[in-house]
Amino acid sequence: RICKETDVKILIINAGSSSLKYQLTSIDENKIIAKGLCERIGLAGSALIYKPTGRDAYEFKKQMNDHTEAMKMVLGALIDPTIGVISGMEEICAVGHRLVHGGEKFTGSALITDEMLATMEELTELAPLHNPANLMGVRACREIMGDIPMVGVFDTAFHQTMPKKAYLYAIPYEAYTQMRIRRYGFHGTSHLYVSERAVALLNKPAENTKIITCHLGNGSSIAAVNGGKSVDTTMGFTPLEGLPMGSRCGDIDPAIVTYLMDKNNWNTSEVCAYLNKQSGMCGLSGVSPDFRDLWVAHNNGNERATAALEVFCYKVKRYIGAYAAVMNGVDAIVFTAGIGENDSGVREWVMKDMEYLGVDFNLDLNRKCPRGKEVELTNPNSRTKVFVIPTDEEMVIARDTARIAKL
Ligand code: ADP
């Protein structure tokens, strides 16, 4: 392996059941060298999208039957003599894998070993859709890249600092001890990244900061980060809890589940599909899960789109209030992800009437907020700051991978 201390290149992999996203990052230069994805793995019409930084993207339509074939295509493009960005696989120092569920076993990122993979297998029943797909990505890399150091970075790990009172459900305690039913939380790498950036912007020691991070994207969650540690978050046992999302319902009375099943004579997968795929903004508005479409419909007088936007912003506001209460105050509220970073309308509706929290929100700045930049949206004297901070989960994965692989 040609891994110079001054030129550490990390390959980041995010494997889904039929997709594989990748990004080659240079740690020292703090930049993306190339990125892209394989789509429709194992299905008809699979394709590799490959985008070297600073050049146009390529699309290669080629049958990929499994993740190993997909990884071969990815590496083939990266080292290709004409379109590639590195001379050989040896230039990649380590691989960082995005892994969804670390249960209570992983409180931080971990080196991938046989033992670690066996523990991951044990956690499969907690994330039956995601963990097996993540593991396919890990195995494919091992097969093709040999003994390269690999690190797993978990979506749940950052929230393992939640106290018991925040993660227990009030159902019989045995559900927790015997079936591991508790709140885990997700989007941890994003909440970690933006809360660390907020600490830097506040220019205070992390121990003395209280931050509420709002990751609002296709999936949405909010976290309360006290002294640099997650103390509560809105997603729970699965990503279905908390805020309403594109097509997920978020918090509902659990009695609705059994009522729906009885009324419609539905089985578990039917009720799951209803709550995960047909609900949220999509189901409420009848328009779309995408907030851009919802605002267009709202501006055209579509009452259901208005109601969907109001429900969403109200829930965000409610959790911000709850988390300020939990931490006995808040120094900064952070907006991130697709909606948080781009949707000034959502930010405006959420931040309206928040003077009680010491927020002096600048509506004009909010409307003019430039894309892709860290911006403060409150006036200079505002006791509580509001920031837009573009998330960078890949940065956390690359950094943890380099640290744990001791590069
Ligand atoms: P994912 O969870 O898939 O990473 P993102 O964080 O990229 O999702 O967020 C995607 C969502 O962000 C879209 O569904 C859309 O609702 C919203 N979004 C993206 N761009 C804008 C925009 N310019 N204005 C309003 N909403 C946007």
Side-chain angles (χ1 to χ4, degrees):
R1 208 156 291 288
I2 328 165
C3 189
K4 296 195 206 101
E5 253 175 58
T6 50
D7 186 18
V8 173
K9 295 191 179 91
I10 307 273
L11 181 63
I12 300 162
I13 299 293
N14 181 355
S17 56
S18 66
S19 70
L20 187 146
K21 291 191 193 132
Y22 65 92
Q23 179 173 310
L24 185 66
T25 295
S26 158
I27 291 265
D28 302 280
E29 290 173 31
N30 194 7
K31 71 164 196 212
I32 300 167
I33 303 168
K35 66 178 187 177
L37 80 154
C38 301
E39 299 177 303
R40 302 187 58 81
I41 301 169
L43 304 168
S46 43
L48 164 77
I49 296 171
Y50 168 67
K51 166 95 179 67
T53 301
R55 286 190 265 152
D56 288 340
Y58 297 82
E59 184 178 0
F60 300 101
K61 293 208 159 76
K62 185 166 179 278
Q63 192 51 37
M64 291 174 260
N65 292 313
D66 55 29
H67 287 66
T68 306
E69 289 182 21
M71 268 313 296
K72 279 190 188 146
M73 290 274 288
V74 169
L75 289 167
L78 291 171
I79 65 177
D80 186 273
T82 44
I83 62 163
V85 284
I86 47 175
S87 56
M89 213 158 73
E90 323 75 64
E91 276 192 54
I92 301 172
C93 304
V95 182
H97 289 271
R98 180 178 180 194
L99 306 176
V100 170
H101 214 309
E104 290 189 330
K105 300 275 185 181
F106 296 100
T107 56
S109 305
L111 194 67
I112 297 181
T113 59
D114 289 336
E115 197 190 344
M116 187 268 197
L117 288 178
T119 311
M120 278 287 290
E121 293 279 2
E122 274 174 41
L123 295 169
T124 295
E125 64 179 357
L126 293 179
L129 294 180
H130 293 107
N131 277 23
N134 296 161
L135 287 173
M136 283 195 278
V138 172
R139 296 215 169 86
C141 284
R142 272 201 158 179
E143 209 176 312
I144 298 168
M145 304 181 78
D147 59 359
I148 188 166
M150 298 207 285
V151 170
V153 180
F154 295 93
D155 252 17
T156 50
F158 182 56
H159 301 300
Q160 278 296 304
T161 46
M162 275 196 282
K164 213 166 197 169
K165 62 188 173 192
Y167 72 68
L168 281 181
Y169 290 111
I171 55 179
Y173 198 73
E174 293 74 23
Y176 169 52
T177 53
Q178 293 168 12
M179 289 182 276
R180 298 183 282 192
I181 299 175
R182 52 158 282 179
R183 308 185 62 251
Y184 292 99
F186 299 87
H187 291 142
T189 40
S190 179
H191 290 295
L192 168 65
Y193 177 80
V194 298
S195 61
E196 281 184 354
R197 288 302 311 145
V199 167
L201 294 173
L202 286 171
N203 203 11
K204 278 211 240 176
E207 307 83 78
N208 303 338
T209 56
K210 297 170 182 179
I211 297 166
I212 297 174
T213 48
C214 307
H215 177 110
L216 313 178
N218 233 333
S220 296
S221 69
I222 305 186
V225 184
N226 197 348
K229 295 196 164 61
S230 171
V231 292
D232 204 348
T233 190
T234 54
M235 283 179 169
F237 180 59
T238 73
L240 192 54
E241 189 179 336
L243 300 171
M245 309 177 203
S247 62
R248 296 189 192 128
C249 61
D251 297 329
I252 56 167
D253 180 341
I256 296 170
V257 179
T258 44
Y259 186 80
L260 279 168
M261 291 175 84
D262 284 345
K263 269 264 181 215
N264 298 300
N265 207 8
W266 281 345
N267 61 27
T268 48
S269 43
E270 285 166 320
V271 77
C272 271
Y274 185 83
L275 300 175
N276 277 288
K277 303 212 167 98
Q278 298 162 33
S279 297
M281 297 295 105
C282 194
L284 257 183
S285 68
V287 173
S288 162
D290 193 306
F291 278 63
R292 286 162 289 199
D293 301 334
L294 294 174
W295 285 109
V296 172
H298 161 75
N299 289 328
N300 289 332
N302 183 319
E303 285 175 19
R304 277 178 61 180
T306 307
L309 288 165
E310 281 177 348
V311 167
F312 181 83
C313 295
Y314 175 74
K315 273 298 189 66
V316 174
K317 182 189 273 287
R318 204 162 91 171
Y319 272 116
I320 291 174
Y323 287 169
V326 158
M327 296 192 288
N328 186 20
V330 53
D331 299 308
I333 298 165
V334 180
F335 286 93
T336 193
I339 299 159
E341 290 168 34
N342 299 306
D343 195 326
S344 60
V346 164
R347 294 192 304 253
E348 181 172 330
W349 284 13
V350 170
M351 294 321 300
K352 194 168 179 290
D353 301 327
M354 288 262 196
E355 292 78 21
Y356 81 99
L357 267 187
V359 174
D360 183 5
F361 193 65
N362 189 318
L363 285 171
D364 203 39
L365 266 179
N366 178 52
R367 283 193 203 116
K368 293 186 189 138
C369 182
R371 293 267 157 94
K373 288 212 166 68
E374 293 181 351
V375 186
E376 183 176 332
L377 297 181
T378 32
N379 290 318
N381 293 331
S382 187
R383 180 161 53 82
T384 301
K385 309 276 182 210
V386 176
F387 297 120
V388 169
I389 300 180
T391 194
D392 193 347
E393 294 167 82
E394 288 76 16
M395 175 56 72
V396 176
I397 299 176
R399 201 182 60 189
D400 276 16
T401 301
R403 176 175 53 84
I404 289 167
K406 298 201 171 59
L407 297 172

